[in-house]
């Protein structure tokens, strides 16, 4: 604070003190408090308090006035001193720091929200067609002073000039009370922070009745004459509220997403950067993304961009130190970027906000890769879900109300589509089993039990004669895995399953619990999911069936037990995952068991072996038939072993193992 400001404040204090001591009235009457409502109606019946929405600000003593003098002043004198101090501090914007926070309640077909005249900010926003896990109105944003979108700037280029934030300014609303918009109708709500008729900042909100999005135009007139044009920026910050059953799962799926240079990225659910992450390219949308919902800011014109954007997200400190998942705030998210609308006498920028569910069919209508906010899987897995799973799922739910039944039919359709691959796997496994049970192979097992390489080479020759490939049953099985893994992403992230009950599960999008444990077991959790238990049992049944059908081979003991270890691992891993996912895997395993038994019933081992023998005779009649790749590899391995053995014998001065055999130097490896 410079000398002139200090002298001014001292003189003001002297005038105010003189007035209060000699001219003030004897009796002090408290300033009347505004009689404004403290509740608004959300939906049809729910009332939600607005925390301190209209509470008057406590008088703040200006610097330079002693405490004893301030205490002795009347209320009106204090207000006069504050107004004078603000006039000196905020210049032409000083009158915008005084006013009353008026509310505008907006109701559309999709949401209810509240606008504040102070800061022209949006307060609480509740979706009408969704509720939280405890059946309360679902908030995209709750009422809190920490939730706002503000424009910040300096009055001039002087570094000592204080920063002006629209959160502190009182805008003049074009309308107050309640605004209701339905159907295709649209309604504009204007709020103006006016220095005078030629210098003002205006927020224009646009609402449509049947849409989850709303528009915001930030417009300035004449501010280029009053502010530093190089220091104007936007700050958007919000607390992501808890809406689902468990905070742990919400935090695992809540992150800030953004589209930069045509590519969608996110900060990652587990990241809590100490410093904001700066974008290196132009950004066209930024989303505060939770498990099933998103609040996304995007430029209305695709030719525009969000410049010099910086992103930041933090996990809040839990109110209960002993429970890191306590509290009602999932994450705090912040976006800042530059705004250049004050470089001309008049300037404006338009945005569109999407505040709604992560629904594939809805997000697809916005283009710009908005659908990539839904985790459909990495790489080619997302295309399995996008072009197969989602179309089938949407088709089925068009005429079936039960989502458990939809999942059943989805499993039947997918398993039927990939049955040709399942059939090939079965035939290849059966052929290998039949060959390994022949007298020739059993004789080789006994003869070369101490020489695995020679045993493998000899078996390769027999396999080639019978037309059997060791990997013939692998590739059809590998082709099926993308479908299984893709659905691992689909079910936990499908908002269609959210709060859809089936049998004992009240919500297929999260875990089902038939018993809550009084303690938590590491790796397993603190509850018992029946769908997961049944799924694990089905894996054991399918594994036992496959083990009986596998060819008997000498194998690593660990690998022998590996198929039985995997279900135990999945039991703990999926115990806290979507009940819909466990239900699908249970059905998939049961269908696989049925397909295997049915195929085994119709495929005769005797006829299959006869076909193999017939094919062997045809192949043996062809003298130009080449050896298989694995057989040639086994021969090379055996040759290298013989060369190494001969070199060791020569180094010890021993004679070659075969009389008359010549020692040949090993071939140089390329």
């Amino acid at each position: 604070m410079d000398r002139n400001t200090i002298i001014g404040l001292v003189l003001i204090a002297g005038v105010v003190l003189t007035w209060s001591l000699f001219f003030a009235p004897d009796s002090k009457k408290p300033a009347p408090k505004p009689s404004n409502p403290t509740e608004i109606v959300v939906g049809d019946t729910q009332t939600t308090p607005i925390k301190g929405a209209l509470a008057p600000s406590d008088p703040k003593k200006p610097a330079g006035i002693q405490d004893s003098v301030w205490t002795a002043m009347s209320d009106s004198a204090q207000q006069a001193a504050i107004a004078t101090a603000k006039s000196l501090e905020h210049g032409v914007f000083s009158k915008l720091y005084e006013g009353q926070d008026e509310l505008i309640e907006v109701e559309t077909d999709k949401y209810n929200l509240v606008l504040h005249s102070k800061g022209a900010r949006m307060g609480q926003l509740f979706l009408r067609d969704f509720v939280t896990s405890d059946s309360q109105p679902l908030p995209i944003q709750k009422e809190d002073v920490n939730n706002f979108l503000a424009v910040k700037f300096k009055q001039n280029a002087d570094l000592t000039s204080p920063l002006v934030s629209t959160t502190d300014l009182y805008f003049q609303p074009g309308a107050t009370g309640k605004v209701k918009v339905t159907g295709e109708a649209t309604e504009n709500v204007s709020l103006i922070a006016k220095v005078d008729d030629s210098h003002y900042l205006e927020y224009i909100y646009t609402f449509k009745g049947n849409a989850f999005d709303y528009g915001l135009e930030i417009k300035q007139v004449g501010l280029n004459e009053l502010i530093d044009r190089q220091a104007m920026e936007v700050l958007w910050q919000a607390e992501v509220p808890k809406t689902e059953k468990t905070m742990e799962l919400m935090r695992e799926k809540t992150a800030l997403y953004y589209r930069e240079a045509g590519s969608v990225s996110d900060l990652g659910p587990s990241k809590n950067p100490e410093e904001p992450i700066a974008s290196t390219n132009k950004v066209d949308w930024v989303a505060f993304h939770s498990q099933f919902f998103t609040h996304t800011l995007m430029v209305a014109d695709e030719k525009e961009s969000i410049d010099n954007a910086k992103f930041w997200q933090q996990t809040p400190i839990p109110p209960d130190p002993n429970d890191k998942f306590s509290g009602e705030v999932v994450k705090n998210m912040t976006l800042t970027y530059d705004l250049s609308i004050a470089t001309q006498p008049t300037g404006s920028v338009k945005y569109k906000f999407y505040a709604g569910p992560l629904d594939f069919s809805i997000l697809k209508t916005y283009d710009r890769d908005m659908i990539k906010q839904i985790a459909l899987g990495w790489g080619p897995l997302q295309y399995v879900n996008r072009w197969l799973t989602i179309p089938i799922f949407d088709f089925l739910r068009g005429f079936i109300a039960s989502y458990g039944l939809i999942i059943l039919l989805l499993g039947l359709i997918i398993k039927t589509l990939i049955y040709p691959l399942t059939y090939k796997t079965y035939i290849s496994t059966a052929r290998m089993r039949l060959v390994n049970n022949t007298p020739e192979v059993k004789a080789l097992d006994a003869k070369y039990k101490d020489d695995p390489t020679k045993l493998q080479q000899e078996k390769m020759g027999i396999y080639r004669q019978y037309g059997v490939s060791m990997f013939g049953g692998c590739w059809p099985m590998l082709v099926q895995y993308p479908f299984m893994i893709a659905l691992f992403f689909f079910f936990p992230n499908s908002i269609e399953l959210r709060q859809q009950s089936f049998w004992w599960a009240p919500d297929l999008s999260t875990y089902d619990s038939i018993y809550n444990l009084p303690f938590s077991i590491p790796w397993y959790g603190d509850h018992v999911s029946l769908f997961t238990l049944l799924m694990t049992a089905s894996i054991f049944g399918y594994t036992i069936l496959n083990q009986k059908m596998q060819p008997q081979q000498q194998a690593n003991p660990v690998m022998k037990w590996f198929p039985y270890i995997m279900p135990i691992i999945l039991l703990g891993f999926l115990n806290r995952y979507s009940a819909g996912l466990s239900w699908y895997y249970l059905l998939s395993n049961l269908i696989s068991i049925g397909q295997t038994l049915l195929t085994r019933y119709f495929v005769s081992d005797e006829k299959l072996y006869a076909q193999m023998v017939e094919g062997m005779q045809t192949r043996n009649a062809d003298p130009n038939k080449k050896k298989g790749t694995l057989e040639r590899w086994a021969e090379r391995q055996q040759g290298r072993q013989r060369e190494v053995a001969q070199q060791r014998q020569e180094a010890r001065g021993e004679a070659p193992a075969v009389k008359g055999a010549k020692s040949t130097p090993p071939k140089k490896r390329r």
Side-chain angles (χ1 to χ4, degrees):
M1 187 176 293
D2 57 22
R3 184 180 62 182
N4 293 334
T5 302
I6 295 175
I7 294 174
L9 291 174
V10 172
L11 292 175
I12 292 171
V15 172
V16 171
L17 178 61
T18 302
W19 183 88
S20 62
L21 292 177
F22 296 99
F23 302 102
D26 294 336
S27 60
K28 295 183 180 180
K29 295 182 179 180
K33 296 182 179 180
S35 57
N36 292 302
T38 58
E39 289 187 339
I40 66 167
V41 177
V42 178
D44 296 327
T45 59
Q46 182 67 30
T47 59
T48 304
I50 298 181
K51 298 186 298 183
L54 303 176
S57 304
D58 294 332
K60 182 178 180 182
K61 179 177 71 66
I65 300 179
Q66 295 182 358
D67 292 341
S68 58
V69 175
W70 179 258
T71 304
M73 294 170 61
S74 65
D75 290 349
S76 57
Q78 289 180 350
Q79 295 298 330
I82 292 172
T84 305
K86 285 184 177 179
S87 178
L88 291 173
E89 181 181 3
H90 301 297
V92 296
F93 295 95
S94 59
K95 68 177 184 179
L96 297 177
Y97 284 80
E98 296 295 333
Q100 178 177 311
D101 189 7
E102 299 182 70
L103 302 183
I104 305 170
E105 303 171 35
V106 180
E107 179 183 317
T108 74
D109 299 334
K110 300 297 183 181
Y111 52 79
N112 291 75
L113 66 85
V114 174
L115 294 177
H116 292 257
S117 64
K118 184 178 182 181
R121 71 178 183 88
M122 188 178 70
Q124 61 187 22
L125 189 157
F126 288 86
L127 298 184
R128 296 173 61 86
D129 297 333
F130 299 89
V131 295
T132 62
S133 58
D134 53 356
S135 301
Q136 297 299 311
L138 190 140
I140 292 293
Q141 178 173 290
K142 287 187 175 181
E143 181 65 44
D144 196 285
V145 293
N146 294 319
N147 297 327
F148 61 83
L149 185 145
V151 177
K152 295 191 173 187
F153 53 86
K154 288 189 175 182
Q155 296 183 47
N156 52 58
D158 184 4
L159 294 178
T160 62
S161 174
L163 190 68
V164 178
S165 173
T166 56
T167 54
D168 300 322
L169 306 182
Y170 287 87
F171 286 65
Q172 179 182 350
T176 57
K178 193 164 188 175
V179 176
K180 188 171 184 178
V181 193
T182 59
E184 295 291 333
T186 60
E187 187 74 29
N188 292 336
V189 176
S190 171
L191 298 103
I192 301 177
K194 184 183 293 187
V195 177
D196 54 47
D197 291 341
S198 302
H199 305 85
Y200 59 84
L201 180 67
E202 183 178 14
Y203 279 29
I204 304 173
Y205 289 91
T206 302
F207 303 101
K208 186 176 180 180
N210 58 3
F212 283 103
D213 59 70
Y214 62 93
L216 171 61
E217 179 182 3
I218 301 176
K219 179 181 179 181
Q220 70 82 19
V221 174
L223 293 187
N224 62 311
E225 300 174 359
L226 305 178
I227 69 174
D228 176 18
R229 290 171 289 175
Q230 305 303 319
M232 202 170 193
E233 69 173 7
V234 173
L235 170 62
W236 182 33
Q237 69 176 41
E239 297 175 340
V240 178
K242 179 186 175 184
T243 58
E244 308 308 317
K245 184 176 182 178
T246 61
M247 178 70 80
E248 182 180 6
L249 283 179
M250 278 205 71
R251 286 203 173 134
E252 288 180 1
K253 297 180 180 295
T254 299
L256 188 148
Y257 281 65
Y258 59 96
R259 187 172 185 258
E260 180 182 19
S263 177
V264 177
S265 304
D266 65 87
L267 298 188
S270 60
K271 290 184 179 179
N272 289 291
E274 296 182 0
E275 298 293 334
I277 306 298
S279 64
T280 56
N281 294 289
K282 293 183 177 181
V283 175
D284 63 353
W285 60 256
V286 178
F288 294 170
H289 169 289
S290 65
Q291 184 174 357
F292 291 112
F293 301 91
T294 180
H295 200 178
T296 303
L297 178 155
M298 65 189 89
V299 289
D301 187 347
E302 294 189 32
K303 296 179 182 179
E304 300 292 334
S305 62
I306 300 171
D307 298 326
N308 298 323
K310 297 180 179 64
F311 319 107
W312 192 57
Q313 68 179 25
Q314 285 290 314
T315 302
I317 298 174
D320 182 359
N322 299 320
D323 183 3
K324 64 179 180 179
F325 298 117
S326 62
E328 295 299 319
V329 177
V330 183
K331 283 192 178 176
N332 299 311
M333 296 188 178
T334 303
L335 163 69
T336 65
Y337 60 92
D338 293 343
L339 198 62
S340 59
I341 61 173
T343 58
Q344 301 294 329
T346 301
S348 68
V349 60
K350 294 181 179 180
Y351 302 104
K352 180 180 286 187
F353 286 80
Y354 174 81
L358 289 168
D359 187 297
F360 184 87
S361 60
I362 298 176
L363 294 181
K364 188 170 59 175
T365 62
Y366 290 89
D367 297 325
R368 305 194 202 181
D369 294 325
M370 285 277 284
I371 57 174
K372 290 189 176 179
Q373 291 191 52
I374 305 175
L376 296 178
W378 34 261
L381 299 180
Q382 59 181 312
Y383 299 107
V384 174
N385 281 325
R386 184 171 180 178
W387 302 112
L388 179 66
T389 308
I390 292 177
I392 295 175
F393 193 84
D394 288 344
F395 171 76
L396 293 174
R397 71 190 183 102
F399 56 89
I400 298 176
S402 171
Y403 280 83
L405 182 57
I406 289 174
I407 294 174
L408 170 61
L409 295 177
L410 178 67
L412 285 171
I413 292 172
I414 291 179
K415 295 299 288 187
T416 301
L417 290 175
I418 63 177
Y419 177 71
L421 300 176
T422 305
Y423 180 80
K424 286 182 176 294
T425 301
Y426 176 86
I427 294 299
S428 180
T429 303
R431 289 161 66 93
M432 180 70 72
R433 172 170 47 83
L434 292 173
V435 171
N436 282 338
N437 286 329
T438 59
E440 303 99 303
V441 173
K442 289 184 176 180
L444 292 176
D445 289 335
K447 182 177 181 180
Y448 298 107
K449 61 181 180 180
D450 297 326
D451 190 351
T453 303
K454 181 63 175 177
L455 174 62
Q456 197 67 26
Q457 180 186 3
E458 295 296 330
K459 280 187 175 182
M460 291 294 180
I462 296 178
Y463 291 159
R464 184 169 63 89
Q465 292 177 4
Y466 279 95
V468 174
S469 172
M470 290 187 64
F471 300 104
C474 294
W475 70 264
M477 186 179 298
L478 292 175
V479 173
Q480 299 178 51
Y481 281 145
F483 297 92
M484 181 178 68
I485 301 174
L487 291 166
F488 173 82
F489 289 94
F490 173 75
F491 286 109
N493 297 303
S494 174
I495 194 170
E496 290 82 4
L497 296 181
R498 184 179 182 272
Q499 297 180 352
Q500 295 294 331
S501 62
F502 181 67
W503 287 347
W504 57 84
D507 187 345
L508 287 173
S509 69
T510 187
Y511 62 82
D512 62 297
S513 177
I514 59 170
Y515 182 72
N516 294 322
L517 300 173
F519 49 84
S520 180
I521 302 175
W523 155 84
Y524 183 71
D526 59 357
H527 63 275
V528 178
S529 169
L530 182 55
F531 271 128
T532 308
L533 286 176
L534 294 175
M535 181 270 299
T536 304
S538 70
I539 295 178
F540 272 114
Y542 189 44
T543 300
I544 293 172
L545 178 63
N546 280 337
Q547 287 290 334
K548 292 181 178 180
M549 296 177 57
Q550 290 293 330
Q552 299 298 320
Q553 300 185 40
Q554 295 178 358
N556 189 321
V558 176
M559 295 302 297
K560 180 180 179 181
W561 291 103
F562 184 76
Y564 299 97
I565 297 174
M566 279 303 297
I568 303 299
I569 297 175
L570 290 175
L571 174 64
F573 184 72
L574 296 178
N575 190 58
R576 64 187 185 92
Y577 258 72
S578 162
L581 178 65
S582 295
W583 170 232
Y584 175 82
Y585 284 164
L586 168 63
L587 293 171
S588 179
N589 292 328
L590 294 177
I591 294 171
S592 295
I593 291 173
Q595 288 179 336
T596 301
L597 294 175
L598 193 64
T599 304
R600 187 174 183 178
Y601 177 79
F602 285 102
V603 175
S604 170
D605 285 355
E606 290 77 10
K607 292 182 178 180
L608 184 60
Y609 184 73
Q611 293 174 359
M612 294 166 59
V613 172
E614 182 180 353
M616 178 181 64
Q617 295 173 350
T618 304
R619 281 185 292 272
N620 290 341
D622 184 4
N624 298 320
K625 184 69 176 179
K626 295 182 178 180
K627 295 181 179 180
T629 302
L630 290 177
E631 189 176 358
R632 295 195 300 271
W633 174 83
E635 289 181 350
R636 288 195 299 269
Q637 290 295 108
Q638 189 177 23
R640 289 171 183 167
Q641 289 181 356
R642 285 197 300 266
E643 292 173 358
V644 171
Q646 290 178 0
Q647 289 176 5
R648 290 176 178 173
Q649 287 179 346
E650 291 176 353
R652 294 194 299 266
E654 298 176 359
V658 181
K659 186 176 181 179
K662 295 182 179 180
S663 176
T664 57
K667 296 179 181 179
K668 295 182 179 180
R669 296 184 180 179
R670 295 182 179 178

